[in-house]
Amino acid sequence: GHDKGVDYWSLGIMLYEFICGSTPFQALLQSKTFEKIVHAHKYLRFPRSFDSHAKSLVRRLLNPNASLRLGNLRGGAEDVKQHALFDIAKFNWNELREQKIEFAYKPCDNIITPQVELIDLQHEASVKDGASYDHEFQTLRDLGTTDFE
């Protein structure tokens, strides 16, 4: 099993990807990706534009040794919340908890959405144990289709 250390690892990966737009341990071969993860201290690279405090936080969250990973230490989540990145930004954790933070990123109104088939949720909710499938099957049988028994 895994403990909370995996969650802090994932937080480090997400922060890196949000800032860089790419994954920190990408490789063509899965075995090479695993090697980069296990030896993160050697393979983890940051673009020059990466904020130094964000880099510090990500490095500490991506420590391959879970027992030394930020958030997985004695101070737990408080260690993460007290990191210099959040202190300098004057991040208000209470406002986050109360969902009062105004986020800088606002999606565009004219986002192009892919054309997808929408599911009729009312119809789906009315289907019990494949009842509509039996009806469709019976309809095909009534039409004289002989491929069904």
Side-chain angles (χ1 to χ4, degrees):
H2 299 288
D3 64 6
K4 65 183 177 179
V6 168
D7 296 330
Y8 291 108
W9 174 271
S10 298
L11 177 61
I13 294 292
M14 286 188 339
L15 287 172
Y16 186 97
E17 290 181 356
F18 289 159
I19 295 169
C20 289
S22 64
T23 183
F25 302 113
Q26 191 168 4
L28 293 175
L29 298 173
Q30 186 178 34
S31 60
K32 187 65 174 176
T33 301
F34 291 153
E35 179 184 344
K36 286 182 172 188
I37 290 169
V38 171
H39 300 289
H41 61 279
K42 183 166 70 172
Y43 289 104
L44 186 59
R45 300 282 182 257
F46 298 89
R48 285 192 174 106
S49 60
F50 209 100
D51 177 83
S52 61
H53 295 293
K55 186 187 300 186
S56 165
L57 177 60
V58 169
R59 278 190 197 280
R60 296 188 65 200
L61 290 168
L62 295 182
N63 190 322
N65 184 340
S67 64
L68 300 175
R69 190 171 301 144
L70 188 67
N72 211 28
L73 303 171
R74 178 176 285 147
E78 286 302 313
D79 288 345
V80 175
K81 291 165 63 175
Q82 292 175 7
H83 188 274
L85 176 70
F86 299 114
D87 188 46
I88 289 170
K90 296 182 179 16
F91 192 83
N92 188 320
W93 291 99
N94 290 326
E95 284 184 7
L96 175 66
R97 184 176 24 264
E98 295 166 8
Q99 300 180 1
K100 294 181 179 177
I101 291 182
E102 187 78 24
F103 287 95
Y105 173 76
K106 299 207 187 295
C108 303
D109 289 337
N110 60 352
I111 295 175
I112 299 172
T113 56
Q115 297 299 313
V116 295
E117 181 181 341
L118 298 177
I119 297 173
D120 181 350
L121 295 178
Q122 287 181 332
H123 172 73
E124 291 295 319
S126 70
V127 175
K128 301 265 192 269
D129 298 323
S132 71
Y133 298 108
D134 290 341
H135 173 71
E136 292 167 11
F137 176 77
Q138 185 62 41
T139 303
L140 289 171
R141 181 180 287 163
D142 292 345
L143 291 173
T145 305
T146 58
D147 292 341
F148 298 94
E149 301 232 357

